[in-house]
């Protein structure tokens, strides 16, 4: 039981661990600004808001990534997860930037989350097909998904 | 392995996907208010606060729903999840309402969360009974739970 | 399938349920301050901020605990989870305290989260060893982890 389970989730676990590291990085930035000897309310407000926006969407991201990984295939889901983390890093850094006066909006990583969402739907749909029509397209779907995940690299 | 796993969680995944859609709806409302050409601080404060309260309890909801689904039975857990989402939608809309001056409180969906919590406890208790007393009441418990979940429909 | 799954996660589920109870306790404190007849903005700000900081790190905690429990062993992970909950309770109470003028920082429970993080890495590493080198150190690792988790009790 043990190794079968880990075999099917280890990539997702690795991406989750990376995201936890990133959360810790964000939290350390907030902590540092919070305990700063020269308090700068504007900077604290900025970093705190960026952190909060990232944390607000974190459970959604985790839920969608794990569902996509469990229902369809872990490799594309983990790949999309890594891309989401890169987007989030850019968002956080962009939010704290001094040069840009206009802060980025509340949402980010919409495309990645949409891709993961589609993966979930395809996985569920495929399961229902297997159950009611006995026709399994899982292998084709996995291949297509892996190929499609490369599209996320487009800027 | 694959289809056994999906068979036991597909309803939970569907409810999770619906909740993700709802999160996206809430986030879009915040985004829209945030980028509005005629900024209205009171309205932004209202929608942002409603979104934050919903997001604060989101991980708790997901954790309880998945635990209840895994430990006991997925159908009543998903049903309770759907009801929670309806309650949350009402809460969010009520928070943004112009007519009501009194905002609803911080908590919502207590009854549904309590029901899911009870399901988890019953599931764990049943597992311990099976392990130590070799008496399995799972089928009875599932029937009772399915019937009891209908009580959540009471206003 | 059912009892095998529950056997491997029931401790994690119990810790999750305790954490949900604690969340409910925090939320009730906020609710009570929110609906207070003699509103005290400073107290509300304090309890709301404490609750928000706890909720911000809650998904991270859940993700790390579950990954550690699934990848390596559930007993040390649950034990660390219980210790995290105790630390969180202390943090929350300390945040609301009247006597201490200096609020605790944004972060808490770093040591416990770091321990769980290490458990995940060891679990993944062990899985990769089993897969590519066919050498399974899981039993030794579990014993060492169980012993090491006692170190978390040190103040």
């Amino acid at each position: 039981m043990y190794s079968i389970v880990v075999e099917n989730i280890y990539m997702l676990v690795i991406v989750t661990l990376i995201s936890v590291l990133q959360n810790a990085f964000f939290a350390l930035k907030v902590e540092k600004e919070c305990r700063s000897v020269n308090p700068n309310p504007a900077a604290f407000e900025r970093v705190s808001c960026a952190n909060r926006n990232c944390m607000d969407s974190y459970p959604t991201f985790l839920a969608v990534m794990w569902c996509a990984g469990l229902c369809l295939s872990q490799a594309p889901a983990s790949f999309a997860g890594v891309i989401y983390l890169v987007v989030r890093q850019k968002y956080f850094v962009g939010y704290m930037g001094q040069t840009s006066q206009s802060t980025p909006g509340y949402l980010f990583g919409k495309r990645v989350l949409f891709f993961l969402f589609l993966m979930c739907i395809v996985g569920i749909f495929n399961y229902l097909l297997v159950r009611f029509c006995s026709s399994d397209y899982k292998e084709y779907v996995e291949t297509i998904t892996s190929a499609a995940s490369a599209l996320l690299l487009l800027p």
Side-chain angles (χ1 to χ4, degrees), chain A:
Chain A
M1 161 87 187
Y2 162 72
S3 63
I4 305 176
V5 168
V6 178
E7 187 183 337
N8 282 291
I9 62 170
Y10 76 99
M11 284 181 180
L12 298 171
V13 171
I14 292 174
V15 176
T16 306
L17 290 183
I18 300 173
S19 77
V20 166
L21 274 188
Q22 205 183 24
N23 285 348
F25 167 75
F26 293 168
L28 283 174
K29 285 277 180 194
V30 175
E31 177 92 357
K32 189 181 143 204
E33 204 63 54
C34 190
R35 292 193 182 282
S36 161
V37 282
N38 298 321
N40 180 352
F44 176 68
E45 185 61 38
R46 228 167 225 274
V47 70
S48 165
C49 191
N51 177 56
R52 199 137 284 167
N53 290 351
C54 289
M55 285 301 112
D56 269 3
S57 62
Y58 185 59
T60 310
F61 160 65
L62 272 191
V64 181
M65 189 183 74
W66 277 84
C67 285
L70 289 177
C71 291
L72 197 62
S73 169
Q74 64 168 341
S78 316
F79 180 72
V82 168
I83 289 181
Y84 179 83
L85 295 181
V86 171
V87 170
R88 191 165 76 150
Q89 184 74 28
K90 270 190 195 163
Y91 173 83
F92 190 80
V93 171
Y95 215 104
M96 291 200 306
Q98 301 294 330
T99 52
S100 67
Q101 290 305 313
S102 64
T103 55
Y106 179 67
L107 288 169
F108 60 95
K110 276 165 282 195
R111 205 169 40 151
V112 182
L113 290 179
F114 183 69
F115 174 76
L116 287 168
F117 190 85
L118 270 190
M119 272 184 70
C120 293
I121 289 180
V122 170
I124 294 284
F125 197 69
N126 182 63
Y127 163 72
L128 294 176
L129 271 185
V130 173
R131 186 168 173 189
F132 293 112
C133 313
S134 316
S135 53
D136 194 349
Y137 298 108
K138 185 149 186 280
E139 292 194 10
Y140 305 102
V141 169
E142 277 185 5
T143 316
I144 295 172
T145 312
S146 302
S149 68
L151 290 177
L152 290 172
L153 286 176
L154 291 178

